[in-house]
Amino acid sequence: MRWQYLNQEEINGFDRYKYKSMDTSPVSNYITHPFWNFIVEYFPKWLAPNLMTFTGWGMLFMVYAVTSYYDPHLKAGLGPHTGYQVPGFWWMIFAAAQFIAHTLDGCDGKQARRTNSSSPLGELFDHGLDSMAIWLITLSLFCIFGHGSPSVTMLELYIMYFICLMGFFIAHWEKYNTGMLYLPWAYDSSQLMIALVYAVTCFTGVEFWKSGIPSVGISYMNVFRGTVYGSFITITLPMCIFNVYQAHVTNTCRSITPSEGMMPFLPIAAQFLLFTTWVLISPSNVLLNQPRLLLSAIGIVFSNITCRLIVSTMCGEPCERFNILLYPLAAILFVVPFLKAEGTEVTALVFYTFLVAVLHVHYGICVVNQLCDHLKIRCFSLKKP
């Protein structure tokens, strides 16, 4: 796969790029980073950081694949009567996979500095896979809660899904404006809590999360709902807006105008509008009947939009105004109202999901190959080509 997605100006921009980040989270500074500094010393020095990153992502994909097999319609959380149930031992495997993936994701950069192998490719590879990991984790977690009960509807899961994606996206929108990656406070704590939720589910079953806290009468589902909305509205979003505002006021931004700084939201807004239109006009209600497939398609397109924003930020070029993967979606929407048979509409959704998955993987592999050729390195080995 030698398709040239990056032009020469973008390649030259990677040569000028310098990574800058800031992590002020108490959980990160006092718990996770000290642990990672300790554990990374046990990794062999021949181990490539990108291989660690990909291994961690592979574990998250395994969780997604297993939950997709046992719970294709996100109903296992409603109980055994639905006919969908994830065997109990898998939840402990998911907890271990989540913890190990988070550890590898935290150690890969430290391994790169430890082996003097830091490069722009490492950051792009790490954050690109993170853009996939965020929706894999979210969909896997939805299996615990299910939909269709009075406590949570599929529409609300749809909204929470987009909020989780936006929490990741605006961190990179923030970097597009400021040139500095401010790591979200909620990131490390949420990753550890997800591992804990899986472990608790192993011993209590999914029914536990439908129960509540007796003293206050609040269900655990409401706690989950409040955590998703509250962390985004009160912490993630205000901190990002403040950092971007400060960068423009103090002229420490990336030499872009405020209007250019808002351009990354165009493809995201177009994605939300187009997919929501499909949900509203769907003759067979694909959101309710094929939620995992629809949300997976959304996640893949989101990842491609975010990856292209990361590339634009790193090479110092203006971001894309519209994502190419949205063109076939817009075309499908013209015929969706006429697809009266449920099977026909599902076939269209399967086709689109498969198409964007292939195109996104092709994009990722080709960009990685281009950078490897330019930097004269290998992606999964520290040996020089």
Side-chain angles (χ1 to χ4, degrees), residues 175-229:
K175 187 181 180 183
Y176 182 76
N177 281 265
T178 66
M180 173 79 72
L181 180 62
Y182 295 89
L183 297 170
W185 272 32
Y187 177 70
D188 281 334
S189 56
S190 65
Q191 297 298 298
L192 295 175
M193 285 302 298
I194 290 170
L196 179 61
V197 166
Y198 285 145
V200 170
T201 305
C202 176
F203 295 104
T204 64
V206 294
E207 295 80 6
F208 170 79
W209 302 103
K210 297 297 186 294
S211 62
I213 305 172
S215 58
V216 292
I218 299 176
S219 70
Y220 293 112
M221 181 59 217
N222 283 330
V223 173
F224 172 72
R225 178 189 287 116
T227 300
V228 172
Y229 294 147

Side-chain angles (χ1 to χ4, degrees), residues 74-102:
L74 300 179
K75 291 185 176 181
L78 301 179
H81 69 276
T82 61
Y84 301 103
Q85 189 172 13
V86 179
F89 68 89
W90 275 112
W91 295 113
M92 186 55 69
I93 296 175
F94 296 163
Q98 172 69 31
F99 180 79
I100 293 172
H102 182 226

Side-chain angles (χ1 to χ4, degrees), residues 47-320:
L47 182 60
N50 288 340
L51 186 56
M52 297 167 60
T53 308
F54 188 75
T55 301
W57 179 86
M59 291 186 173
L60 298 177
F61 185 80
M62 177 274 294
V63 177
Y64 167 81
V66 172
T67 54
S68 297
Y69 174 78
Y70 284 107
D71 185 22
H73 300 296
L74 300 179
K75 291 185 176 181
L78 301 179
H81 69 276
T82 61
Y84 301 103
Q85 189 172 13
V86 179
F89 68 89
W90 275 112
W91 295 113
M92 186 55 69
I93 296 175
F94 296 163
Q98 172 69 31
F99 180 79
I100 293 172
H102 182 226
T103 300
L104 291 174
D105 187 47
C107 289
D108 54 7
K110 298 180 186 299
Q111 176 76 348
R113 289 183 288 273
R114 182 169 169 253
T115 56
N116 295 317
S117 58
S118 298
S119 71
L121 174 64
E123 180 185 347
L124 179 61
F125 192 79
D126 185 359
H127 295 166
L129 287 182
D130 284 345
S131 71
M132 287 284 287
I134 183 64
W135 68 264
L136 291 175
I137 293 173
T138 305
L139 270 185
S140 300
L141 197 61
F142 280 176
C143 286
I144 293 177
F145 302 105
H147 70 89
S149 66
S151 60
V152 57
T153 64
M154 191 59 237
L155 180 60
E156 184 164 13
L157 286 185
Y158 181 75
I159 295 171
M160 284 194 287
Y161 185 66
F162 266 104
I163 288 178
C164 292
L165 298 185
M166 285 304 298
F168 181 87
F169 180 81
I170 62 172
H172 289 281
W173 164 74
E174 181 182 36
K175 187 181 180 183
Y176 182 76
N177 281 265
T178 66
M180 173 79 72
L181 180 62
Y182 295 89
L183 297 170
W185 272 32
Y187 177 70
D188 281 334
S189 56
S190 65
Q191 297 298 298
L192 295 175
M193 285 302 298
I194 290 170
L196 179 61
V197 166
Y198 285 145
V200 170
T201 305
C202 176
F203 295 104
T204 64
V206 294
E207 295 80 6
F208 170 79
W209 302 103
K210 297 297 186 294
S211 62
I213 305 172
S215 58
V216 292
I218 299 176
S219 70
Y220 293 112
M221 181 59 217
N222 283 330
V223 173
F224 172 72
R225 178 189 287 116
T227 300
V228 172
Y229 294 147
S231 62
F232 179 78
I233 295 173
T234 65
I235 300 177
T236 304
L237 183 60
M239 291 182 70
C240 284
I241 294 175
F242 176 77
N243 289 332
V244 171
Y245 172 77
Q246 282 289 97
H248 283 286
V249 168
T250 59
N251 292 321
T252 57
C253 59
R254 284 183 50 244
S255 302
I256 60 175
T257 63
S259 59
E260 173 60 34
M262 296 301 294
M263 291 299 105
F265 286 114
L266 288 180
I268 283 290
Q271 178 194 16
F272 179 76
L273 177 63
L274 290 173
F275 274 107
T276 302
T277 299
W278 191 340
V279 168
L280 294 176
I281 68 174
S282 170
S284 60
N285 198 347
V286 291
L287 178 61
L288 183 64
N289 296 316
Q290 295 293 334
R292 183 181 290 277
L293 189 59
L294 179 68
L295 296 183
S296 295
I298 292 172
I300 295 168
V301 176
F302 166 82
S303 179
N304 193 262
I305 292 173
T306 307
C307 285
R308 291 173 185 267
L309 175 61
I310 294 170
V311 168
S312 299
T313 303
M314 294 182 69
C315 62
E317 295 292 318
C319 68
E320 293 184 350

